[in-house]
Amino acid sequence: MPFLSKLARRAKLQYFLGQLPKDARILEVGCADGWFGEHAVRHGWTDLTGIDILQPAAPLPHAFVHGDINDWQALGLAANSFDAIVAFEVIEHGDFYEALAALLKPGGKLMVTTPVPHMDWLCRVMERAGVNQRRSSPHTHLIYLKDLPDSFALQRSYVKGGVSQWGVFERVPL
């Protein structure tokens, strides 16, 4: 794991999990190897589900759904059923907002990290230099967090290291 990715993971765990009660029903979109969920379960969060288009290399310590979040109904997920959705370095890879809004309870939290669009070139440089984790697919949907759809109300956002946006949104009742 590249050095900057390790630092970012630790900071994300502290910042985002610190805002969620231990009994929150959490969906992690793009859970990959399960690092976030593993930490959450080990530290007392009790209701976590991961979803990813790739099967994890090893079993996860929590529920896992294999598939595309946009197919949530066919995958057996229920509308308005999650208190929080975590999507770290995911929203830049596709249009997932309708699915995220459908799955999140009104008033629930959407927690995201994504590259700052005009700094994505620097992310590529850091990836090639081996100091940051390589992207899993092209960044075809880079967006400034202020431009997320109206179904999500921005509560707070930060730019970290000049290249990463971190945001917490509340799902607006439709």
Side-chain angles (χ1 to χ4, degrees):
M1 171 68 49
F3 173 72
L4 287 179
S5 295
K6 283 183 187 177
L7 289 176
R9 281 185 176 187
R10 278 196 297 253
K12 288 173 188 177
L13 289 168
Q14 184 177 38
Y15 179 73
F16 290 103
L17 271 177
Q19 298 180 52
L20 297 174
K22 301 261 177 152
D23 64 346
R25 184 150 194 248
I26 303 168
L27 177 66
E28 182 189 6
V29 178
C31 65
D33 63 4
W35 64 270
F36 175 82
E38 180 182 334
H39 178 89
V41 168
R42 195 169 3 108
H43 289 89
W45 278 266
T46 59
D47 194 353
L48 193 127
T49 300
I51 184 169
D52 204 309
I53 58 172
L54 300 175
Q55 193 75 31
L60 301 178
H62 53 75
F64 173 75
V65 176
H66 181 225
D68 185 326
I69 189 72
N70 287 322
D71 298 327
W72 61 272
Q73 290 173 306
L75 295 170
L77 297 173
N80 301 313
S81 62
F82 291 95
D83 300 306
I85 295 178
V86 175
F88 296 151
E89 308 306 319
V90 170
I91 63 172
E92 64 273 13
H93 297 286
D95 184 358
F96 309 115
Y97 301 110
E98 190 174 307
L100 297 172
L103 290 166
L104 196 57
K105 292 177 181 177
K109 293 183 185 294
L110 173 63
M111 302 175 148
V112 299
T113 64
T114 187
V116 174
H118 70 271
M119 295 303 290
D120 196 45
W121 66 270
L122 183 55
C123 293
R124 284 187 181 278
V125 169
M126 291 188 304
E127 290 168 26
R128 288 187 190 116
V131 296
N132 202 22
Q133 186 173 344
R134 289 196 174 272
R135 58 193 72 197
S136 59
S137 64
H139 292 174
T140 56
H141 288 75
L142 281 170
I143 187 171
Y144 291 97
L145 292 183
K146 67 178 182 60
D147 296 328
L148 255 64
D150 292 339
S151 50
F152 303 102
L154 180 63
Q155 291 185 319
R156 61 192 147 279
S157 69
Y158 303 96
V159 173
K160 300 289 187 176
V163 296
S164 183
Q165 304 173 91
W166 292 18
V168 178
F169 296 81
E170 184 175 306
R171 159 73 154 64
V172 176
L174 300 177

